[in-house]
Amino acid sequence: MSAGVQELVGPGDHVAQARQVIANLEEQVKAVGSDLSLVAYTDVYVVADEPGPLSEVWRIVEASGLATGASGPHSSTLIGVPTLGCPGQLVEITATAVVPEG
């Protein structure tokens, strides 16, 4: 889903959904004065019953720079799950980011 919109992006497409989730995450951390380079920890949930989609999503996470922030790689867990909260949702990322003082 795109930020602020309740419409599924990329039905059936792990890669498209991963890109949208990262775009949404980037928008949210910017809204509180941070950015993806200051993310300290992530959990990446992927609906999958085989390793292929997990690898595809992880490549998107790495390409975004999310997995290698300003201070180097952070702690991240990649988790295959049978389902997520919304029908058709294939990818979800939870993140904890540092918000600089000021």
Side-chain angles (χ1 to χ4, degrees):
M1 294 196 213
S2 52
V5 178
Q6 296 298 315
E7 183 177 321
L8 184 65
V9 172
D13 186 341
H14 288 87
V15 170
Q17 288 193 22
R19 288 187 177 124
Q20 185 63 55
V21 168
I22 290 168
N24 293 351
L25 177 59
E26 186 170 21
E27 184 178 318
Q28 295 302 310
V29 295
K30 282 183 179 180
V32 296
S34 191
D35 62 52
L36 293 183
S37 71
L38 296 174
V39 170
Y41 184 83
T42 57
D43 287 322
V44 181
Y45 300 92
V46 180
V47 174
D49 57 4
E50 62 171 326
L54 294 163
S55 297
E56 290 174 350
V57 168
W58 189 248
R59 280 193 289 277
I60 299 303
V61 170
E62 287 183 313
S64 75
L66 183 59
T68 55
S71 60
H74 65 269
S75 179
S76 186
T77 304
L78 179 63
I79 307 162
V81 297
T83 190
L84 289 168
C86 297
Q89 182 182 6
L90 301 174
V91 179
E92 181 173 324
I93 299 175
T94 60
T96 301
V98 174
V99 177
E101 290 186 38

